[in-house]
Amino acid sequence: MNTWYYLYALILGVFSFFTGEIVTFIMLGFILIALQNIHSTLKQILAKLNKKQ
């Protein structure tokens, strides 16, 4: 699954380089990292809740 994220980031990076939107690319990167961290935390919470039941 992480391979798709790298491929998506690479495509966005090349596109942003040619359009001059480097800052936008960096900000999207921060947002994607934050969302990935939230997603993994929610998965850990779900696993703990399922383990208790």
Side-chain angles (χ1 to χ4, degrees):
M1 188 74 171
N2 285 338
T3 307
W4 290 109
Y5 291 125
Y6 294 132
L7 180 64
Y8 182 64
L10 179 68
I11 291 169
L12 280 177
V14 170
F15 183 72
S16 68
F17 178 75
F18 286 113
T19 59
E21 295 289 333
I22 300 300
V23 174
T24 304
F25 174 70
I26 293 171
M27 295 306 293
L28 281 174
F30 286 138
I31 292 170
L32 288 174
I33 290 169
L35 288 173
Q36 183 64 28
N37 289 337
I38 291 169
H39 182 256
S40 63
T41 303
L42 288 174
K43 283 175 68 174
Q44 290 173 356
I45 292 170
L46 180 64
K48 287 181 182 179
L49 287 174
N50 285 338
K51 198 180 249 188
K52 286 183 181 179
Q53 295 176 355

